[in-house]
Every structure is written in structure tokens, then in C-alpha cells.
């Protein structure tokens, strides 16, 4: 067998049932507090890892079936460790499937040119949410606060805000139609919500704005975050 085939064998540990077991075995070994383990368990861990064995023996050891002793060791306190393992796998999958840039916070636009640039030049896969507001108009400040929260929940969405006067289109965006939310993707207008707070309760929060945008399918899925919240609640 060529060196290339050996390398592929050693690195392809995430594929198929054997790969999953091997990957889980490694994760379990790395996450356990070996210093405080009883001697018997340390010996099992030593046998599982076989750090001093020959190269071929290590590969055979990695691919062997799980022993009863290993199973008993892995079973103990597995609930928390398994959740951490699932979370890591989900994060790896999420990172591989996430396209486009990520952002932090809400971006303040200071001119109509900046407004056009963010719409026309942003990555084609990025959803851009623009809040057109005016200081003193009811609902604008509250909506700004909500977008600050949503920006942390949806890092792949570019949240922006611009004062109606600074936009150069104050005639179009009069106080009566503020606050306005505009949603774009790949330069295309997907959502145009004038006086958008009329669709919300008198007192609204970030979750209400999120639900409103989701009702039109304008925000990406939050499956990874949902899984993390569920697992954190289970641990508690």
C-alpha cells in the first residue's frame, strides 16, 4: 500500500460507523480529567490510546471493536460529554456549510452612497436588513435596540441603519412611514416594510421583530443555536 493510501486511512476518521466511533473515542479521551481517574480507568484509557505501540498496531487498535471495559467507561457521565461532542460536530458542520462573511453589530450608514454600496456590493449570499429611522419618531429607538440584539443572534445577516435625512430621501421617508425596514439579498429588494411597528405590539422586543421577519422567511435558520440552547437547558 502506498504512503498516500496510508495517509488517507489515518485521516478519514469521520466517515462511516468506524469513523464515528473512533472520533468519539478521541473526543472522550481528550475531554476526560485523567489526573483524577482511578488507576483501573487510567489503564483502560492507556489501552484505548496506545501511545507507545508501533504505528501499525496503533492503526489496528484504533479500528478495533470497542471492548466491554471501554463501553462501561464511556457510559459513565456520558450525557454531558455526548452533548459536548454533538455540539462540536454541529459546529464543524455549520462552519463547513456557512457561506459568505460574518458581521458584528449594526452598521451605521452616513449617506445615500453608503446605503447603495451596501446593497449593491455585499456578498450575494448575505441578507441585508436596513432600518431607516429618525430620532424622535416613535418606535425608531426601540427598533434600533432590537436590531442590536438580533445582530448578535444572526452574524451572517448584515444589519444596518441610516437616518432618513442622511439617506437623501427624506421626502420619501417621512415621519409617517418610519420606522422602515428594507431587506435585500444579492441587490434584490425582498422586503419593504413602511411604518413596520404597526405590525407589532405597542411594546415590542427583539423576539417580536425576529418573528415578524421570519414570518416572511427573511432570516436564515438558527438550528445550531437552537440545539445549543436545548442542550444547555438539559445540562442545567
Amino acid at each position: 500500500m502506498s504512503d498516500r493510501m496510508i495517509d488517507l486511512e489515518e485521516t478519514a476518521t469521520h466517515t462511516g460507523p468506524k469513523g464515528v466511533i473512533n472520533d468519539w473515542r478521541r473526543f472522550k479521551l481528550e475531554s476526560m480529567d485523567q489526573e483524577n481517574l482511578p488507576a483501573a480507568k487510567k489503564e483502560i484509557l492507556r489501552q484505548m490510546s496506545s501511545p507507545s505501540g508501533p504505528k501499525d498496531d496503533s492503526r489496528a487498535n484504533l479500528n478495533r471493536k470497542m471492548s466491554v471495559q471501554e463501553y462501561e467507561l464511556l457510559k459513565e457521565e456520558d450525557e454531558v460529554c455526548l452533548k459536548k461532542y454533538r455540539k462540536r460536530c454541529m459546529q464543524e458542520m455549520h462552519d463547513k456549510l456557512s457561506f459568505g462573511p460574518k458581521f458584528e453589530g449594526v452598521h451605521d450608514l452616513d449617506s445615500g452612497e453608503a446605503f447603495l454600496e451596501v446593497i449593491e456590493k455585499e456578498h450575494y449570499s448575505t441578507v441585508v436588513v436596513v432600518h431607516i429611522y429618525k430620532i424622535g419618531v416613535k418606535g425608531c429607538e426601540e427598533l434600533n435596540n432590537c436590531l442590536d440584539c438580533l445582530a448578535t443572534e444572526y452574524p451572517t445577516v448584515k444589519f444596518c441603519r441610516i437616518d432618513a435625512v442622511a439617506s437623501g430621501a427624506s421626502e420619501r421617508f417621512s415621519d409617517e412611514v418610519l420606522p422602515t425596514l428594507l431587506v435585500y439579498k444579492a441587490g434584490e429588494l425582498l422586503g419593504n416594510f413602511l411604518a413596520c411597528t404597526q405590525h407589532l405590539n405597542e411594546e415590542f422586543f427583539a423576539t417580536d421583530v425576529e418573528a415578524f421577519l421570519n414570518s416572511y422567511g427573511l432570516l436564515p435558520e438558527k438550528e445550531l443555536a437552537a440545539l445549543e440552547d436545548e442542550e444547555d437547558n438539559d445540562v442545567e
Side-chain angles (χ1 to χ4, degrees), residues 12 14 24-25 39 53 59 81 91 123 127 132 150 168 204-205 210 217 224-225:
H14 295 274
W24 163 242
R25 179 181 284 137
R59 191 183 304 115
C81 192
Q91 183 64 55
H123 192 276
V127 173
I132 301 178
L150 292 181
F204 61 90
F205 304 94
E210 178 184 30
L224 180 63

Side-chain angles (χ1 to χ4, degrees), residues 104-134:
E104 293 184 3
V106 179
H107 298 257
D108 290 292
L109 308 177
D110 56 8
S111 66
E113 289 76 15
F115 174 67
L116 291 175
E117 182 174 352
V118 78
I119 294 169
E120 296 173 354
K121 296 186 178 181
E122 195 50 68
H123 192 276
Y124 70 90
S125 68
T126 298
V127 173
V128 179
V129 178
V130 181
H131 173 209
I132 301 178
Y133 70 96
K134 188 176 180 182

